[in-house]
Every structure is written in structure tokens, then in C-alpha cells.
């Protein structure tokens, strides 16, 4: 059964990555802008002082404006930092986007020589990327398990997924170790995964 779920995940991941990567720049920019507005106007954003966000890849919901706003609003911002290829991920504070450098994986990350590590238990809000989501809050990531391992320590955080409309599907296969999102934010709505659309 477990092998079957893993194969279903691989198949869905391949399909959804193709769809996400085929989106035009205009669609990605437009949807990202509306998602940004939905987040900064939400109660869970207003009520959080320590926020973890991801540095977006070019085919993900864009987070540059969001990270700037977190800093400008006087909140504390932390960013994922992958320690090595064994799958260990930590969170590190940044005070300005200029603190980010090109990391080991070719994407912007906190400078490994200046890391200020965050206690995951103190993070109040985590904004997550993903490949696919369903309205029950199941998330399909890239399959490396970085977030699942990290989230086991972030016991107080609200988990909020950022998704293009095309990334929300009827059902995402899940396993016992997979974390369920509290909210999914698209351009069309904010879904409270425990209670339905709001």
C-alpha cells in the first residue's frame, strides 16, 4: 500500500510540475500579487510576529514582496536553510533581503557564515511552497522531506500554503508523516482546511 502511495505521488508530482512550469509570466505575477494581498490582509498574518517564508523559485508563487512587507511591518522574518543533502533544514533570521546569498542549491538563502538560527517552536506562521494541494490540506512537495522533518519541531506554527489555482486538485495522496496545512491561499480564496472555504 505504501509503495502504491509513493508511486501515486511521483506520478502526480510529474504532472503538476509540468503544469506549473507551463504557466506564463503574466499569470504567475498576477496570481502571486493577489495571493500576497490575501495573506497580508489575513488575521493569521496580523497576529503573527515571527514568520517563516520561502524564497520562491521562478515557477512558484512569488514571495519577494511578501518578505519585504514582513520586514517593513516590523515582524521577524526567517528563511529555510538546508544544511546538507541529508535533508536537514533549519530556519535562520534575516533582517533585509540583502542578507540572502546564492546557496548550495543555486537559490537565494541565508549566508552560511552569518547564520542566526531560529528555535522552530517560536515560529508562529510558516508560509509553504508545494507542488500540489487538496482542500483537505494535504500537500505534495518535491519528495525530499525537508519540510516534513522541520515541521515536526515547529509545533506552534500555523501552516499556510501558497498555491496557483492550477495546483489545487481533488485529492493528494498522503502518508502518516505528511503534515496537513491549516490554510491554502490561492488568488480565488483562502481555504481553512479544517472548516472549508472562507
Amino acid at each position: 500500500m505504501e509503495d502504491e502511495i509513493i508511486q501515486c505521488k511521483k506520478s502526480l508530482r510529474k504532472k503538476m510540475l509540468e503544469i506549473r512550469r507551463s504557466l506564463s509570466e503574466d499569470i504567475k505575477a498576477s496570481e502571486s500579487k493577489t495571493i500576497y494581498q490575501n495573506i497580508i490582509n489575513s488575521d493569521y498574518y496580523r497576529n503573527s510576529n515571527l514568520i517563516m517564508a520561502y524564497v520562491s523559485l521562478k515557477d512558484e508563487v512569488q514571495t519577494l514582496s511578501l518578505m519585504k512587507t514582513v520586514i517593513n511591518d516590523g515582524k521577524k522574518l526567517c528563511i529555510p536553510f538546508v544544511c546538507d543533502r541529508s535533508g536537514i533544514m533549519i530556519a535562520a533570521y534575516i533582517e533585509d533581503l540583502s542578507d540572502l546569498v546564492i546557496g548550495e542549491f543555486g537559490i537565494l538563502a541565508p549566508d552560511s557564515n552569518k547564520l542566526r538560527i531560529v528555535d522552530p517552536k517560536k515560529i508562529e506562521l510558516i508560509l509553504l511552497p508545494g507542488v500540489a494541494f487538496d482542500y483537505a490540506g494535504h500537500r505534495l512537495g518535491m519528495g525530499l522531506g525537508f519540510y516534513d522533518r522541520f515541521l515536526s519541531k515547529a509545533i506552534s506554527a500555523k501552516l499556510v500554503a501558497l498555491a496557483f489555482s492550477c495546483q489545487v486538485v481533488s485529492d493528494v495522496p498522503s502518508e502518516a508523516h505528511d503534515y496537513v496545512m491549516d490554510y491554502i491561499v490561492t488568488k480565488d480564496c483562502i481555504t481553512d482546511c479544517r472548516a472549508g472555504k472562507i
Side-chain angles (χ1 to χ4, degrees):
M1 182 65 177
E2 188 174 329
D3 288 344
E4 184 180 336
I5 292 174
I6 291 170
Q7 288 307 312
C8 287
K9 282 185 172 183
K10 284 182 179 178
S11 176
L12 181 61
R13 184 178 294 114
K14 182 174 185 294
K15 174 185 173 185
M16 297 305 296
L17 282 173
E18 288 173 357
I19 292 171
R20 192 179 79 182
R21 288 167 180 166
S22 72
L23 293 174
S24 70
E25 294 301 319
D26 285 347
I27 288 174
K28 287 185 288 188
S30 175
E31 293 201 19
S32 293
K33 184 177 180 180
T34 306
I35 290 166
Y36 159 81
Q37 292 292 343
N38 286 340
I39 290 169
I40 64 169
N41 290 325
S42 67
D43 287 340
Y44 51 75
Y45 174 80
R46 292 193 194 101
N47 295 332
S48 297
N49 292 309
L50 176 52
I51 297 173
M52 181 176 178
Y54 65 94
V55 180
S56 49
L57 301 175
K58 64 180 182 178
D59 62 335
E60 293 177 328
V61 174
Q62 298 300 292
T63 58
L64 183 62
S65 295
L66 188 51
M67 291 191 294
K68 285 180 180 177
T69 299
V70 172
I71 293 169
N72 291 338
D73 283 347
K75 299 175 185 290
K76 291 182 179 178
L77 176 65
C78 57
I79 300 294
F81 180 84
V82 177
C83 299
D84 54 44
R85 294 183 184 272
S86 67
I88 302 302
M89 186 174 87
I90 60 174
Y93 287 113
I94 64 166
E95 293 181 353
D96 190 86
L97 297 187
S98 62
D99 294 341
L100 299 173
V101 299
I102 300 295
E104 179 185 355
F105 296 90
I107 60 173
L108 289 172
D111 188 336
S112 61
N113 297 312
K114 302 175 183 176
L115 287 180
R116 292 189 301 143
I117 299 171
V118 176
D119 180 352
K121 293 191 287 294
K122 295 182 178 179
I123 301 173
E124 296 166 274
L125 173 62
I126 301 180
L127 305 173
L128 295 97
V131 177
F133 306 91
D134 63 25
Y135 284 120
H138 299 120
R139 170 184 176 269
L140 179 67
M142 292 296 288
L144 299 174
F146 291 142
Y147 273 99
D148 285 325
R149 282 185 285 274
F150 181 83
L151 294 178
S152 68
K153 303 167 192 169
I155 55 176
S156 301
K158 286 267 189 251
L159 308 181
V160 179
L162 282 53
F164 295 121
S165 297
C166 65
Q167 292 181 266
V168 183
V169 298
S170 60
D171 182 58
V172 169
S174 64
E175 299 169 88
H177 62 265
D178 293 328
Y179 277 79
V180 175
M181 304 295 99
D182 294 301
Y183 299 93
I184 298 171
V185 183
T186 67
K187 73 175 179 64
D188 301 309
C189 64
I190 299 173
T191 298
D192 181 339
C193 300
R194 316 291 179 175
K197 293 183 184 179
I198 58 175

